[in-house]
Amino acid sequence: MSDNPVENLFLNRLSDLAKVNDPIDPQLYIKHDVKRGLRNANGTGVLVGLTRIGDVVGYEMQDGQKIAVPGRLIYRGYNVENLIRDAEREHQFGFEQCVYLLLFGELPTKEELTEFTVFLGSKRALPPNFTEDMIMKAPSNDIMNKLARGVLASYSYDPDPEGRDIANILRQCIELISRFSTLAAYAYQAKRRFYDEQSMYIHNPVPELSTAENFLRLIRSDKQYTRLEAELLDLALILHAEHGGGNNSSLTVHVVSSADTDTYSAIAAGVGSLKGRRHGGANIRVQEMFEEIKANIKDWSDEKEIAAYLRKIVNKEAFDRTGLIYGLGHAVYTISDPRCILLRNKAEELAKEKGMEEEFNLHKIIEKLGPQILYEKLGDKKKICANVDFYSGFVYKMLNIPPELFTPIFAIARIAGWSAHRIEEIVAGGRIYRPAYKNVSPEREYIYMKDRK
């Protein structure tokens, strides 16, 4: 709200007027068979497009019924677990190979990957004067807000911002993929200086380093990180790079791209979507919940004490009184979220290195007890599993990454998927998105100004 109390009174009065005139009877959604949230009655998503980029598998349909299956995350037809396993065997950081696969649809040869990685590295530095003019002169307290503005500002530094041929769009996307980590890191440093009154460190990115290594180097005053820290962040980037065309931010990129707008407008819209607390901001809520749990439980290994406090949360007697155990449940995954499993397994290594095994074990206990307690309360037989947000915030905490960078890390990864979806929409879409909204307000006789009371 405003700092002006008189203005606030005026805005509150207008707000009450807006709320009175905008509600819609929930029964009308049923009457008109509205697919709220683009969801069918059985919870599946309304089919609005086709994609060859990624797939999210959590159930199978048999005789019209959803049958839960262990979760699988597929990139261009390949199970992401195999991509991660391959990178580990080769002792490589895998995010750059993931980007190549998402953009071009095929796994690169060693030579192709080296060439592409070198090209990505060469684009990490921001354009001349960009840091001073677009970041330092207009800092933001919210890094996602600054990231969106940084994307839009990039338009002004592009020699061909409106070119719609695929080669030009691909160039723009690769530059954004490469620079997102630098944009986010510099925006964070500007926030430290202008909002937190702390020292600001602006390091130059190193072309030879991976995305994960560069990001850790840029946000730390001493530029130091361990190999395990970089590997864990690299894993997080791979797991967040793509999640099918139906997730809110990827769909946003499809919708905006279908209007035949420029790359920067489409990607900035994706950033705006991801910023939402129902999308990319969930891992922060998970960490906030865990901080309260830790403060109110004496023995972090006592399952009875933990279960009792979780029941308070579910009964809306603790934390934010919503009744939600954050990090549990997913729109598609039911038995398991593969991203959660992969991140949890790698996080255990770092927890041992950092001496944070007790907190890691607390996560595992809540991951086990949470679904049982939710079932006690709700009686819903739908299987509930921990999702990737359950561990990602803890991972970033172990990496000494501040909470304001949690969602930007998501964006640093998801820009790869967004770029692939933008190109796919331009190549294969061809029609502007135009779903229907039914007007449920009756027509009224107009009242002229002189007759209004």
Side-chain angles (χ1 to χ4, degrees), residues 31-44:
K31 175 183 177 181
H32 297 293
D33 191 27
V34 177
K35 311 295 186 183
R36 298 187 73 179
L38 290 180
R39 303 278 182 86
N40 294 309
N42 64 359
T44 59

Side-chain angles (χ1 to χ4, degrees), residues 144 148 248-249 252 266-277 279 418:
M144 288 296 284
N248 196 276
S249 56
T252 296
I267 298 301
V271 174
S273 165
L274 190 67
K275 180 178 181 288
R277 288 179 291 183
H279 193 3
W418 292 338

Side-chain angles (χ1 to χ4, degrees), residues 280-305:
N283 51 22
I284 297 176
R285 298 298 286 162
V286 174
Q287 275 304 291
E288 291 171 345
M289 179 188 73
F290 267 93
E291 290 304 314
E292 173 158 310
I293 290 172
K294 290 187 298 180
N296 286 278
I297 292 177
K298 294 180 180 179
D299 185 350
W300 294 2
S301 64
D302 186 337
E303 293 194 8
K304 288 185 178 179
E305 186 182 4

Side-chain angles (χ1 to χ4, degrees), residues 60-257:
E60 295 175 352
M61 299 299 296
Q62 296 180 12
D63 299 324
Q65 298 293 318
K66 289 171 60 178
I67 307 298
V69 298
R72 301 193 308 277
L73 178 58
I74 309 298
Y75 290 174
R76 293 288 190 178
Y78 297 106
N79 192 316
V80 73
E81 292 184 32
N82 293 324
L83 189 150
I84 292 166
R85 192 175 297 116
D86 185 34
E88 290 175 345
R89 286 176 178 174
E90 297 293 324
H91 302 288
Q92 293 177 331
F93 292 102
F95 179 63
E96 286 69 31
Q97 179 177 204
C98 173
V99 173
Y100 186 101
L101 174 62
L102 291 173
L103 287 179
F104 308 115
E106 297 294 343
L107 292 168
T109 64
K110 185 172 289 188
E111 292 74 21
E112 289 170 336
L113 179 58
T114 298
E115 182 182 40
F116 181 68
T117 301
V118 169
F119 186 64
L120 268 182
S122 72
K123 299 295 182 180
R124 291 202 195 281
L126 303 183
N129 302 318
F130 190 102
T131 303
E132 294 82 356
D133 294 343
M134 297 299 175
I135 297 180
M136 299 305 165
K137 290 182 179 178
S140 175
N141 195 36
D142 186 280
I143 310 304
M144 288 296 284
N145 170 276
K146 190 63 204 174
L147 191 55
R149 285 194 279 157
V151 172
L152 290 173
S154 298
Y155 181 103
S156 300
Y157 292 78
D158 189 328
D160 187 14
E162 290 287 346
R164 298 294 197 274
D165 61 282
I166 296 303
N168 190 56
I169 291 173
L170 184 61
R171 171 189 62 81
Q172 294 169 333
C173 288
I174 290 174
E175 289 178 354
L176 287 174
I177 291 169
S178 182
R179 290 172 182 165
F180 252 45
S181 57
T182 309
L183 279 170
Y186 286 2
Y188 165 67
Q189 294 294 352
K191 175 188 177 295
R192 281 174 54 88
R193 165 67 179 83
F194 294 101
Y195 288 90
D196 302 337
E197 297 183 352
Q198 297 180 12
S199 298
M200 176 176 66
Y201 302 91
I202 300 297
H203 309 308
N204 292 325
V206 176
E208 295 76 24
L209 297 180
S210 68
T211 302
E213 292 173 298
N214 259 302
F215 185 70
L216 290 174
R217 183 180 183 278
L218 292 178
I219 65 171
R220 294 180 173 178
S221 59
D222 61 3
K223 300 182 281 190
Q224 300 302 305
Y225 54 88
T226 68
R227 173 76 185 193
L228 181 56
E229 286 180 323
E231 287 177 348
L232 190 49
L233 181 56
D234 180 71
L235 174 62
L237 294 177
I238 295 171
L239 295 175
H240 286 88
E242 160 63 4
H243 215 233
N247 70 82
N248 196 276
S249 56
S250 294
L251 177 62
T252 296
V253 172
H254 271 282
V255 171
V256 177
S257 293

